[in-house]
Amino acid sequence: LRNIEREKLWEAIGKLPEQDMQLVKLLYFKEITVKKAAEILRCSRKTVKNRNRKALEILNAAMKEEISS
């Protein structure tokens, strides 16, 4: 990613609800498994997967909006 894109991505991550932001950081920056993330966040793997999908949809929409601006 270019620097501007990276900055916009971090801005979008920062706007996520706190739990979703923590989840994205665990899964993609610390490269923790879904199982381990569920243990850390004290929820089920299904919840981790659902929250991850929702967070990625939000981030994808934010980045598409940024690109079209």
Side-chain angles (χ1 to χ4, degrees):
L1 291 173
R2 294 180 294 162
N3 286 338
I4 292 174
E5 291 170 336
R6 190 173 292 125
E7 287 177 27
K8 296 300 180 183
L9 177 59
W10 276 110
E11 283 180 32
I13 290 170
K15 292 178 183 177
L16 289 171
E18 182 66 29
Q19 289 182 331
D20 294 344
M21 180 175 31
Q22 289 176 349
L23 178 62
V24 167
K25 288 178 179 180
L26 287 173
L27 293 176
Y28 298 100
F29 297 97
K30 296 199 180 264
E31 298 180 357
I32 290 181
T33 65
V34 169
K35 181 179 178 182
K36 186 66 176 172
E39 291 172 10
I40 292 169
L41 299 173
R42 297 182 182 151
C43 61
S44 71
R45 284 183 279 180
K46 183 176 181 179
T47 298
V48 167
K49 289 177 183 180
N50 286 334
R51 284 182 24 208
N52 180 52
R53 180 184 44 78
K54 178 183 144 201
L56 292 179
E57 287 172 358
I58 292 168
L59 292 174
N60 188 32
M63 294 306 288
K64 281 183 180 178
E65 182 178 308
E66 183 60 37
I67 289 169
S68 67
S69 297

